[in-house]
Every structure is written in structure tokens, then in C-alpha cells.
Amino acid sequence: MSNLKILIVSPEVDPFAKTGGLADVAGSLPKALARHGMDVRIIMPKYKNIQNVDYLMDLPVEMDGHLETAIIKYSTLPVKEEEAHLNIPVYFIDNYKYFYRGGLYGHPDDGARFNFFVKAILSALPRMDFKPDIIHCNDWQSSLLPLFLKVKYEDEPFYRDTATIFTIHNLHYQGRFPKDILTTLNLNEKRFFNPEELEFWGQVNFMKGGIIYADLINTVSNKYSLEIQTPEFGEGLDGLLRKRSQDLYGIVNGIDYHKFNPETDENIYKNYSLDTIENKIENKYRLQEELGLPRKDVPVISLISRLVAQKGLDLVGQIMNDLLKEDVQFILLGTGEDYYQQMFSQIKVRYKDKAAIIIGFDPVLAQKIYAGSDIFLMPSKFEPCGLSQLISLRYGTIPVVHATGGLEDTIIDFPTDPEKGNGFSFKNFSVSDFWITLQRALDLFNNHPDQWRKIISNAMTADFSWDKSAKKYISLYEKALEKRKKDLLAKTG
Ligand code: GLC
């Protein structure tokens, strides 16, 4: 395997800035690639909250007929002491006007902000001491990069051999802006404002740039890569994705097995492994105390999530009364849409002794909940990959999921396959199927401890570390390079 030079472009990277799973992936995949000998570096915007980074250089970037300054800063990705040799540089694009403010996205000028981000990267690279073989872009905030590379830099020798990968972490978020953003992008309206290019229902769709122009595309599970080619999951882009199906791959995410390890996790109350699983219950009791729930060995069911419709929260809301009639406890941690925040806050009022609802973002408490609960709910309507079910498995907390996307690829239904089953899953996205499936899990927990142990064992011995998937990314990178070479040859004859 060659030593590729890889630049990961991501709008969020843990631990610097995070709104969701993309940050975890962008913060952990690079380590796995570096362990395989790759020269991997990361580039992201320098948001206001990011401190203690060093100055590298600045350069002008053309925006709407005037020049803006991009200040390039750098740091390294924090790793555990024993992995200090990995040394993964992280570059930051800074500009006061675009990035010095609260929040990551959701601003009215996001189109201009991420246009600036991508342009700054492409102008900066030739001046830096790093010529990537692969530029690996993630989600709509970086999806214009493959387009700019092909249409604005086609004669630039520096980029001649560079191949691009575009990873779709969630097709639902596409980066759609009014037509006049084309001026800011310096893209010709005649050429680019049509359905074959960036036009999408009268708007400009950034995601299309990545899908059309990247050398190869992938999503974060195999199942999701197939689902998005259907109208049901395609978010209006299924036709285009079908057109590129030859170049569209699915690679399931891993999680950081060093960070998420019940044997060494410093955030949980008492460490445990499969061999010392009896210590898991101490985590339950201490969690109950911390959250003001009665201390007892009832099934503790948890949910940690962004509170948005995608996550199947309407199903959860509709079973709450039935569920909380049983001798169980329910713990929810998350923030998001007001509607769901209120829905769950009301449950807390009605069931003080059975439900703990924490509206907020708290990574330390999250670990305590993974360790202290028995069952984890994830009935997502769609799920490109999902990381929480993988963390749950690692902590011996059994996921109950809707069989879709990455959930279908990672969770094996125990009643269907008692040999390999590591959780419970249901096929029809309906309240009754969800409720029946959860009841099955509760019955097994309450009445068949030997079988429950078997599920825990299957869950904790499943391997969703990055190692396997990192190898798949490396062969995807190699494929992209071959394709780039072939396309160049075809062009030059
Ligand atoms: C998005 C998806 C989630 C995936 C994550 C990382 O947040 O919704 O399913 O796990 O990206 O790829």
C-alpha cells in the first residue's frame, strides 16, 4: 500500500468544533489512516470558539469582485500520549467576517462563508508544503471544492494528479441558496444554472457540485448508498445519484475504540469489560442517583440524540405512556427543535420518578448514560450511518433500532438470529412495530438473563473500530487516483 497524501476537508472536527457525527468521523478517521502510514492532514474553518492555534500565512481570496484575506492557522489533532508519533496537522481557515461569530452554520450568508472556505483552501495549498494526492471533502460545506478544481483549476499543474472524494454524511442537508449566489461563486449562470449542473428547484444546490464533480462519491454505510438512489430517501437527488451509481460507494463509519472503551473511560463511574460485566450495574445505580431517579435494578432505557424528526422521535413520543406504565426508567439527553424539547420536557413533569430528561449537549454525561443504561433507542426514520448505536454496543447497552441505512448494516436482530444478534430491529417504521420490538427487548431483559448476557456478549465483541473501514477508504482513494489518471489520459489522448 502506498503512502498517500490525504487532505480531509470538513466543516467540523472533534474536538475543535462539533454539531454531530461528522465531527467524530473527521476527528477519528484521520488517526486510523495515519496508523496505516498515510500522510493525512485536516482543514476546517476557524470558528470563534477555537483558541490556541498558530499563524501560518495569509493570502487574498477573490469574493464578488473584491479581495478578502484568508488567514491560515494550524495546530495538530490531539491524540493519546502513546500515539504522539501520529502527528496529524490541522489547518484552519480564518476570516473575521465569515467565521468570528457564534454557531457553526445556519447563518443567512452560509453560501458565501463556505464558498470562501473552499476557495481559500484551493488558493492556499500550492503555497503550502503539502501537495495532496487526495482531497477528501465532506458534506455540502465542502462540496464545491471538486467543482472548482475541475472548472477553475483545470490548467493548474499543481492539481493535475489530485483526485477528489466526496462523502455524503447526510443527504438531507444540501446547502441550497438563492440563484444570485452564483455571482459570489464566480460561476457563469448560463452554464451552471440548469438541472444538469447546480440548479435545483429554482435554487443553487451546493451538494450537487460534489455529486457531479468529485472523482468518486461515498456515503457512510452500504445500505444508505443504495437507499439514496430511490425517491423515498433520495431527497430529490436520487436521479443524479443513480446516474453516478458506478462511482458511488458505501463505507460504514467506525468509532474511536480508544476513546469509547468502558475499560478505561474516565468519564464513567466504574470501569468494566465483558469479563467484569457485573460492574456495569454500579454505573446504573450511580447514574440514577446523579439524575434523581430511584436507585433500583429496573431496565434503564436511554436515548441520546440531536432532537430532530429524522431520529424517529415521534415514535418515541407515542409509546411513552405505555412504556412508563411498566417498571422501567427512561433517560433522554439532547438538544434540538423546540417542538421535541417541549414534548420530552412534559414527560418529565408527568413521570418524575421514571423519567430524566436533560435538554443539553454534555459529552461527559453522555458517556455515563451509555455505561449506565441497558437499552438504547434509535428508531430513526433514516440514518446514513449512526454512531450512537455503535457506542452503545461497545458499552454493552443494547440498541433497539429501525432497520434503515447504517442501523440496518450494523444491528442484527436477536430474535431473528440468536447466534449473532447484537440488538433488536424492526422493519416497518410504525409505532406498533417499534413498541412490539421494544417489548421483546424488555421481556428478554426481565425474564431471560442468560439470553440477555448472550446479546451483551455479541454486542461487546462486535468490531466497529475504524481499522477495517480505514482500509476501505484507502482502497477507495486508490481507485479515485486510478480514475483520475484514466480521465486525464482520455482528455489528452
Ligand atoms: C450524520 C448522519 C449520521 C452519521 C454521521 C457521520 O450525522 O446523520 O448517520 O453517522 O453523519 O457520518
Side-chain angles (χ1 to χ4, degrees), residues 12 19-26 139 167-171 173 219-220 224 253 306 310-311 378 380 382-390 406 466 473:
E12 50 182 271
T19 66
L22 169 57
D24 294 296
V25 171
D139 278 353
T167 302
I168 300 169
H169 293 264
N170 194 333
L171 193 62
Y173 303 98
T219 69
V220 287
Y224 190 61
N253 288 327
R306 275 184 301 125
Q310 175 200 338
K311 300 296 177 178
M378 209 159 163
S380 308
F382 69 94
E383 196 61 75
C385 176
L387 301 173
S388 314
Q389 85 277 18
L390 304 180
W466 264 112
Y473 269 106

mmCIF file of all heavy atoms in Angstrom, residues 12 19-26 139 167-171 173 219-220 224 253 306 310-311 378 380 382-390 406 466 473, ligand 1:
data_model
loop_
_atom_site.group_PDB
_atom_site.id
_atom_site.type_symbol
_atom_site.label_atom_id
_atom_site.label_comp_id
_atom_site.label_asym_id
_atom_site.label_seq_id
_atom_site.Cartn_x
_atom_site.Cartn_y
_atom_site.Cartn_z
ATOM 1 N N GLU A 12 -16.575 20.471 10.357
ATOM 2 C CA GLU A 12 -16.468 20.270 11.808
ATOM 3 C C GLU A 12 -15.574 19.079 12.097
ATOM 4 O O GLU A 12 -15.573 18.085 11.369
ATOM 5 C CB GLU A 12 -17.843 20.101 12.467
ATOM 6 C CG GLU A 12 -18.769 19.103 11.852
ATOM 7 C CD GLU A 12 -20.133 19.077 12.580
ATOM 8 O OE1 GLU A 12 -20.265 18.312 13.546
ATOM 9 O OE2 GLU A 12 -21.026 19.848 12.177
ATOM 10 N N THR A 19 -21.201 19.672 15.688
ATOM 11 C CA THR A 19 -22.657 19.665 15.855
ATOM 12 C C THR A 19 -23.201 18.245 15.770
ATOM 13 O O THR A 19 -24.291 17.974 16.225
ATOM 14 C CB THR A 19 -23.398 20.509 14.779
ATOM 15 O OG1 THR A 19 -23.210 19.882 13.500
ATOM 16 C CG2 THR A 19 -22.898 21.930 14.706
ATOM 17 N N GLY A 20 -22.460 17.332 15.161
ATOM 18 C CA GLY A 20 -22.991 15.971 15.009
ATOM 19 C C GLY A 20 -21.907 14.964 14.692
ATOM 20 O O GLY A 20 -20.707 15.208 14.906
ATOM 21 N N GLY A 21 -22.353 13.829 14.157
ATOM 22 C CA GLY A 21 -21.455 12.699 13.918
ATOM 23 C C GLY A 21 -20.310 12.978 12.957
ATOM 24 O O GLY A 21 -19.243 12.364 13.054
ATOM 25 N N LEU A 22 -20.520 13.935 12.039
ATOM 26 C CA LEU A 22 -19.447 14.263 11.103
ATOM 27 C C LEU A 22 -18.165 14.646 11.846
ATOM 28 O O LEU A 22 -17.060 14.254 11.465
ATOM 29 C CB LEU A 22 -19.900 15.382 10.158
ATOM 30 C CG LEU A 22 -18.819 16.026 9.290
ATOM 31 C CD1 LEU A 22 -18.094 15.004 8.425
ATOM 32 C CD2 LEU A 22 -19.424 17.114 8.413
ATOM 33 N N ALA A 23 -18.318 15.402 12.924
ATOM 34 C CA ALA A 23 -17.134 15.825 13.692
ATOM 35 C C ALA A 23 -16.391 14.605 14.248
ATOM 36 O O ALA A 23 -15.160 14.560 14.239
ATOM 37 C CB ALA A 23 -17.534 16.760 14.831
ATOM 38 N N ASP A 24 -17.126 13.618 14.718
ATOM 39 C CA ASP A 24 -16.482 12.413 15.246
ATOM 40 C C ASP A 24 -15.709 11.693 14.150
ATOM 41 O O ASP A 24 -14.588 11.226 14.358
ATOM 42 C CB ASP A 24 -17.531 11.454 15.828
ATOM 43 C CG ASP A 24 -18.212 12.049 17.043
ATOM 44 O OD1 ASP A 24 -17.524 12.279 18.044
ATOM 45 O OD2 ASP A 24 -19.427 12.299 16.974
ATOM 46 N N VAL A 25 -16.334 11.601 12.984
ATOM 47 C CA VAL A 25 -15.678 10.921 11.873
ATOM 48 C C VAL A 25 -14.423 11.692 11.457
ATOM 49 O O VAL A 25 -13.332 11.117 11.322
ATOM 50 C CB VAL A 25 -16.646 10.767 10.679
ATOM 51 C CG1 VAL A 25 -15.925 10.252 9.444
ATOM 52 C CG2 VAL A 25 -17.793 9.836 11.049
ATOM 53 N N ALA A 26 -14.567 13.013 11.293
ATOM 54 C CA ALA A 26 -13.424 13.814 10.831
ATOM 55 C C ALA A 26 -12.309 13.849 11.873
ATOM 56 O O ALA A 26 -11.152 14.107 11.547
ATOM 57 C CB ALA A 26 -13.882 15.227 10.486
ATOM 58 N N ASP A 139 -19.679 16.542 3.120
ATOM 59 C CA ASP A 139 -20.935 17.284 3.193
ATOM 60 C C ASP A 139 -20.909 18.610 2.407
ATOM 61 O O ASP A 139 -19.896 19.014 1.866
ATOM 62 C CB ASP A 139 -21.370 17.482 4.652
ATOM 63 C CG ASP A 139 -22.099 16.237 5.192
ATOM 64 O OD1 ASP A 139 -22.367 15.312 4.395
ATOM 65 O OD2 ASP A 139 -22.406 16.201 6.401
ATOM 66 N N THR A 167 -17.784 12.670 0.401
ATOM 67 C CA THR A 167 -18.563 11.811 1.294
ATOM 68 C C THR A 167 -19.837 12.507 1.723
ATOM 69 O O THR A 167 -19.806 13.634 2.218
ATOM 70 C CB THR A 167 -17.741 11.438 2.554
ATOM 71 O OG1 THR A 167 -16.545 10.794 2.136
ATOM 72 C CG2 THR A 167 -18.533 10.491 3.452
ATOM 73 N N ILE A 168 -20.947 11.800 1.507
ATOM 74 C CA ILE A 168 -22.259 12.311 1.940
ATOM 75 C C ILE A 168 -22.564 11.717 3.308
ATOM 76 O O ILE A 168 -22.774 10.520 3.441
ATOM 77 C CB ILE A 168 -23.355 11.887 0.940
ATOM 78 C CG1 ILE A 168 -23.055 12.435 -0.447
ATOM 79 C CG2 ILE A 168 -24.732 12.337 1.444
ATOM 80 C CD1 ILE A 168 -23.950 11.847 -1.544
ATOM 81 N N HIS A 169 -22.556 12.563 4.323
ATOM 82 C CA HIS A 169 -22.896 12.084 5.664
ATOM 83 C C HIS A 169 -24.391 12.170 5.912
ATOM 84 O O HIS A 169 -24.926 11.444 6.748
ATOM 85 C CB HIS A 169 -22.136 12.889 6.724
ATOM 86 C CG HIS A 169 -20.662 12.636 6.670
ATOM 87 N ND1 HIS A 169 -20.035 11.723 7.482
ATOM 88 C CD2 HIS A 169 -19.701 13.147 5.856
ATOM 89 C CE1 HIS A 169 -18.734 11.702 7.185
ATOM 90 N NE2 HIS A 169 -18.514 12.550 6.203
ATOM 91 N N ASN A 170 -25.044 13.091 5.230
ATOM 92 C CA ASN A 170 -26.492 13.199 5.368
ATOM 93 C C ASN A 170 -27.033 13.977 4.176
ATOM 94 O O ASN A 170 -26.801 15.180 4.055
ATOM 95 C CB ASN A 170 -26.841 13.908 6.681
ATOM 96 C CG ASN A 170 -28.316 13.736 7.017
ATOM 97 O OD1 ASN A 170 -29.150 13.559 6.117
ATOM 98 N ND2 ASN A 170 -28.640 13.807 8.292
ATOM 99 N N LEU A 171 -27.753 13.291 3.309
ATOM 100 C CA LEU A 171 -28.241 13.904 2.069
ATOM 101 C C LEU A 171 -29.316 14.963 2.322
ATOM 102 O O LEU A 171 -29.625 15.769 1.452
ATOM 103 C CB LEU A 171 -28.789 12.794 1.153
ATOM 104 C CG LEU A 171 -29.078 13.148 -0.291
ATOM 105 C CD1 LEU A 171 -27.818 13.583 -1.021
ATOM 106 C CD2 LEU A 171 -29.721 11.970 -1.027
ATOM 107 N N TYR A 173 -29.219 17.500 4.255
ATOM 108 C CA TYR A 173 -28.671 18.863 4.343
ATOM 109 C C TYR A 173 -27.830 19.129 3.097
ATOM 110 O O TYR A 173 -26.761 18.560 2.935
ATOM 111 C CB TYR A 173 -27.834 19.013 5.614
ATOM 112 C CG TYR A 173 -28.618 18.679 6.869
ATOM 113 C CD1 TYR A 173 -28.532 17.421 7.471
ATOM 114 C CD2 TYR A 173 -29.488 19.615 7.427
ATOM 115 C CE1 TYR A 173 -29.272 17.111 8.604
ATOM 116 C CE2 TYR A 173 -30.233 19.315 8.563
ATOM 117 C CZ TYR A 173 -30.115 18.058 9.143
ATOM 118 O OH TYR A 173 -30.861 17.758 10.265
ATOM 119 N N THR A 219 -21.053 7.190 0.695
ATOM 120 C CA THR A 219 -21.858 7.515 1.871
ATOM 121 C C THR A 219 -21.343 6.645 3.009
ATOM 122 O O THR A 219 -20.473 5.802 2.808
ATOM 123 C CB THR A 219 -23.351 7.213 1.667
ATOM 124 O OG1 THR A 219 -23.500 5.792 1.597
ATOM 125 C CG2 THR A 219 -23.887 7.832 0.418
ATOM 126 N N VAL A 220 -21.920 6.828 4.200
ATOM 127 C CA VAL A 220 -21.317 6.262 5.398
ATOM 128 C C VAL A 220 -21.887 4.901 5.814
ATOM 129 O O VAL A 220 -21.677 4.463 6.947
ATOM 130 C CB VAL A 220 -21.367 7.285 6.543
ATOM 131 C CG1 VAL A 220 -20.350 8.393 6.277
ATOM 132 C CG2 VAL A 220 -22.753 7.887 6.690
ATOM 133 N N TYR A 224 -27.276 2.797 3.042
ATOM 134 C CA TYR A 224 -27.669 4.180 2.714
ATOM 135 C C TYR A 224 -27.252 4.540 1.286
ATOM 136 O O TYR A 224 -27.965 5.272 0.595
ATOM 137 C CB TYR A 224 -27.058 5.148 3.728
ATOM 138 C CG TYR A 224 -27.586 6.568 3.650
ATOM 139 C CD1 TYR A 224 -28.934 6.846 3.867
ATOM 140 C CD2 TYR A 224 -26.736 7.641 3.376
ATOM 141 C CE1 TYR A 224 -29.416 8.155 3.808
ATOM 142 C CE2 TYR A 224 -27.208 8.945 3.319
ATOM 143 C CZ TYR A 224 -28.551 9.201 3.533
ATOM 144 O OH TYR A 224 -29.017 10.493 3.477
ATOM 145 N N ASN A 253 -19.044 3.848 8.930
ATOM 146 C CA ASN A 253 -18.155 4.531 9.876
ATOM 147 C C ASN A 253 -17.694 3.591 10.966
ATOM 148 O O ASN A 253 -18.397 2.650 11.329
ATOM 149 C CB ASN A 253 -18.895 5.668 10.581
ATOM 150 C CG ASN A 253 -19.165 6.842 9.667
ATOM 151 O OD1 ASN A 253 -18.379 7.133 8.771
ATOM 152 N ND2 ASN A 253 -20.274 7.522 9.912
ATOM 153 N N ARG A 306 -29.485 14.343 18.683
ATOM 154 C CA ARG A 306 -29.994 15.640 18.271
ATOM 155 C C ARG A 306 -31.509 15.476 18.189
ATOM 156 O O ARG A 306 -32.001 14.460 17.695
ATOM 157 C CB ARG A 306 -29.473 16.011 16.873
ATOM 158 C CG ARG A 306 -28.121 16.666 16.859
ATOM 159 C CD ARG A 306 -27.721 17.090 15.442
ATOM 160 N NE ARG A 306 -27.689 15.962 14.527
ATOM 161 C CZ ARG A 306 -28.373 15.899 13.382
ATOM 162 N NH1 ARG A 306 -29.163 16.887 13.015
ATOM 163 N NH2 ARG A 306 -28.279 14.840 12.598
ATOM 164 N N GLN A 310 -35.729 13.381 11.941
ATOM 165 C CA GLN A 310 -35.014 12.229 11.374
ATOM 166 C C GLN A 310 -34.864 11.090 12.378
ATOM 167 O O GLN A 310 -34.827 9.915 12.010
ATOM 168 C CB GLN A 310 -33.620 12.688 10.905
ATOM 169 C CG GLN A 310 -32.740 11.552 10.407
ATOM 170 C CD GLN A 310 -31.244 11.908 10.412
ATOM 171 O OE1 GLN A 310 -30.877 13.082 10.401
ATOM 172 N NE2 GLN A 310 -30.396 10.908 10.407
ATOM 173 N N LYS A 311 -34.749 11.437 13.647
ATOM 174 C CA LYS A 311 -34.374 10.449 14.652
ATOM 175 C C LYS A 311 -35.551 9.595 15.142
ATOM 176 O O LYS A 311 -35.409 8.812 16.077
ATOM 177 C CB LYS A 311 -33.686 11.145 15.830
ATOM 178 C CG LYS A 311 -32.422 11.896 15.411
ATOM 179 C CD LYS A 311 -31.334 10.961 14.885
ATOM 180 C CE LYS A 311 -30.089 11.710 14.406
ATOM 181 N NZ LYS A 311 -29.023 10.806 13.946
ATOM 182 N N MET A 378 -33.026 3.958 19.117
ATOM 183 C CA MET A 378 -32.627 4.680 17.904
ATOM 184 C C MET A 378 -33.546 4.303 16.745
ATOM 185 O O MET A 378 -33.132 3.666 15.775
ATOM 186 C CB MET A 378 -31.176 4.345 17.577
ATOM 187 C CG MET A 378 -30.484 5.471 16.848
ATOM 188 S SD MET A 378 -28.719 5.343 17.011
ATOM 189 C CE MET A 378 -28.231 6.430 15.683
ATOM 190 N N SER A 380 -34.610 5.740 14.140
ATOM 191 C CA SER A 380 -34.524 6.780 13.110
ATOM 192 C C SER A 380 -35.347 6.448 11.875
ATOM 193 O O SER A 380 -35.395 5.303 11.441
ATOM 194 C CB SER A 380 -33.073 6.963 12.659
ATOM 195 O OG SER A 380 -32.229 7.154 13.749
ATOM 196 N N PHE A 382 -34.587 7.669 8.899
ATOM 197 C CA PHE A 382 -33.471 7.275 8.036
ATOM 198 C C PHE A 382 -32.192 7.552 8.810
ATOM 199 O O PHE A 382 -32.169 8.387 9.700
ATOM 200 C CB PHE A 382 -33.497 8.028 6.698
ATOM 201 C CG PHE A 382 -33.190 9.494 6.789
ATOM 202 C CD1 PHE A 382 -31.899 9.967 6.603
ATOM 203 C CD2 PHE A 382 -34.190 10.411 7.062
ATOM 204 C CE1 PHE A 382 -31.618 11.323 6.691
ATOM 205 C CE2 PHE A 382 -33.918 11.776 7.162
ATOM 206 C CZ PHE A 382 -32.630 12.233 6.964
ATOM 207 N N GLU A 383 -31.144 6.831 8.506
ATOM 208 C CA GLU A 383 -29.890 7.014 9.247
ATOM 209 C C GLU A 383 -28.712 6.645 8.355
ATOM 210 O O GLU A 383 -28.466 5.473 8.089
ATOM 211 C CB GLU A 383 -29.896 6.145 10.509
ATOM 212 C CG GLU A 383 -28.840 6.532 11.537
ATOM 213 C CD GLU A 383 -29.001 7.952 12.049
ATOM 214 O OE1 GLU A 383 -29.919 8.208 12.853
ATOM 215 O OE2 GLU A 383 -28.220 8.812 11.618
ATOM 216 N N PRO A 384 -27.998 7.661 7.868
ATOM 217 C CA PRO A 384 -26.869 7.378 6.971
ATOM 218 C C PRO A 384 -25.893 6.358 7.570
ATOM 219 O O PRO A 384 -25.508 5.402 6.902
ATOM 220 C CB PRO A 384 -26.222 8.755 6.802
ATOM 221 C CG PRO A 384 -27.374 9.717 6.966
ATOM 222 C CD PRO A 384 -28.250 9.112 8.018
ATOM 223 N N CYS A 385 -25.493 6.566 8.800
ATOM 224 C CA CYS A 385 -24.699 5.542 9.484
ATOM 225 C C CYS A 385 -25.192 5.414 10.915
ATOM 226 O O CYS A 385 -25.711 4.397 11.322
ATOM 227 C CB CYS A 385 -23.205 5.869 9.476
ATOM 228 S SG CYS A 385 -22.284 4.646 10.424
ATOM 229 N N GLY A 386 -25.049 6.507 11.667
ATOM 230 C CA GLY A 386 -25.360 6.444 13.093
ATOM 231 C C GLY A 386 -24.117 5.996 13.828
ATOM 232 O O GLY A 386 -23.451 5.035 13.421
ATOM 233 N N LEU A 387 -23.791 6.719 14.879
ATOM 234 C CA LEU A 387 -22.625 6.341 15.679
ATOM 235 C C LEU A 387 -23.063 5.886 17.067
ATOM 236 O O LEU A 387 -22.431 5.024 17.685
ATOM 237 C CB LEU A 387 -21.662 7.520 15.811
ATOM 238 C CG LEU A 387 -21.128 8.074 14.478
ATOM 239 C CD1 LEU A 387 -20.329 9.350 14.696
ATOM 240 C CD2 LEU A 387 -20.263 7.034 13.779
ATOM 241 N N SER A 388 -24.190 6.420 17.543
ATOM 242 C CA SER A 388 -24.613 6.121 18.919
ATOM 243 C C SER A 388 -24.883 4.639 19.130
ATOM 244 O O SER A 388 -24.596 4.092 20.197
ATOM 245 C CB SER A 388 -25.876 6.896 19.263
ATOM 246 O OG SER A 388 -25.742 8.223 18.858
ATOM 247 N N GLN A 389 -25.436 3.983 18.094
ATOM 248 C CA GLN A 389 -25.689 2.545 18.270
ATOM 249 C C GLN A 389 -24.365 1.789 18.403
ATOM 250 O O GLN A 389 -24.293 0.776 19.092
ATOM 251 C CB GLN A 389 -26.565 1.995 17.126
ATOM 252 C CG GLN A 389 -25.853 1.585 15.864
ATOM 253 C CD GLN A 389 -25.571 2.768 14.924
ATOM 254 O OE1 GLN A 389 -25.597 3.928 15.337
ATOM 255 N NE2 GLN A 389 -25.306 2.475 13.668
ATOM 256 N N LEU A 390 -23.308 2.314 17.762
ATOM 257 C CA LEU A 390 -22.003 1.641 17.833
ATOM 258 C C LEU A 390 -21.365 1.857 19.209
ATOM 259 O O LEU A 390 -20.749 0.952 19.778
ATOM 260 C CB LEU A 390 -21.068 2.153 16.730
ATOM 261 C CG LEU A 390 -21.606 2.043 15.292
ATOM 262 C CD1 LEU A 390 -20.585 2.582 14.291
ATOM 263 C CD2 LEU A 390 -21.963 0.596 14.957
ATOM 264 N N GLY A 406 -27.380 2.816 8.024
ATOM 265 C CA GLY A 406 -26.307 2.245 8.828
ATOM 266 C C GLY A 406 -26.815 1.404 9.988
ATOM 267 O O GLY A 406 -26.121 0.502 10.467
ATOM 268 N N TRP A 466 -12.249 1.651 13.692
ATOM 269 C CA TRP A 466 -12.010 2.245 12.381
ATOM 270 C C TRP A 466 -11.138 1.393 11.466
ATOM 271 O O TRP A 466 -11.052 1.627 10.264
ATOM 272 C CB TRP A 466 -11.364 3.632 12.530
ATOM 273 C CG TRP A 466 -12.370 4.722 12.467
ATOM 274 C CD1 TRP A 466 -12.748 5.541 13.487
ATOM 275 C CD2 TRP A 466 -13.137 5.127 11.321
ATOM 276 N NE1 TRP A 466 -13.709 6.430 13.051
ATOM 277 C CE2 TRP A 466 -13.961 6.187 11.724
ATOM 278 C CE3 TRP A 466 -13.220 4.680 9.998
ATOM 279 C CZ2 TRP A 466 -14.849 6.821 10.856
ATOM 280 C CZ3 TRP A 466 -14.112 5.313 9.135
ATOM 281 C CH2 TRP A 466 -14.913 6.366 9.565
ATOM 282 N N TYR A 473 -11.350 2.914 2.980
ATOM 283 C CA TYR A 473 -11.121 4.271 2.464
ATOM 284 C C TYR A 473 -9.833 4.316 1.651
ATOM 285 O O TYR A 473 -9.777 4.948 0.592
ATOM 286 C CB TYR A 473 -11.085 5.309 3.594
ATOM 287 C CG TYR A 473 -12.457 5.897 3.869
ATOM 288 C CD1 TYR A 473 -13.180 5.540 4.997
ATOM 289 C CD2 TYR A 473 -13.038 6.804 2.983
ATOM 290 C CE1 TYR A 473 -14.450 6.051 5.237
ATOM 291 C CE2 TYR A 473 -14.310 7.337 3.219
ATOM 292 C CZ TYR A 473 -15.006 6.955 4.339
ATOM 293 O OH TYR A 473 -16.260 7.476 4.566
HETATM 294 C C1 GLC B 1 -24.541 12.373 10.002
HETATM 295 C C2 GLC B 1 -25.538 11.236 9.858
HETATM 296 C C3 GLC B 1 -25.168 10.050 10.746
HETATM 297 C C4 GLC B 1 -23.700 9.674 10.530
HETATM 298 C C5 GLC B 1 -22.803 10.897 10.727
HETATM 299 C C6 GLC B 1 -21.345 10.620 10.484
HETATM 300 O O1 GLC B 1 -24.674 12.962 11.248
HETATM 301 O O2 GLC B 1 -26.852 11.671 10.164
HETATM 302 O O3 GLC B 1 -25.981 8.944 10.459
HETATM 303 O O4 GLC B 1 -23.318 8.677 11.432
HETATM 304 O O5 GLC B 1 -23.198 11.932 9.836
HETATM 305 O O6 GLC B 1 -21.112 10.085 9.211
#
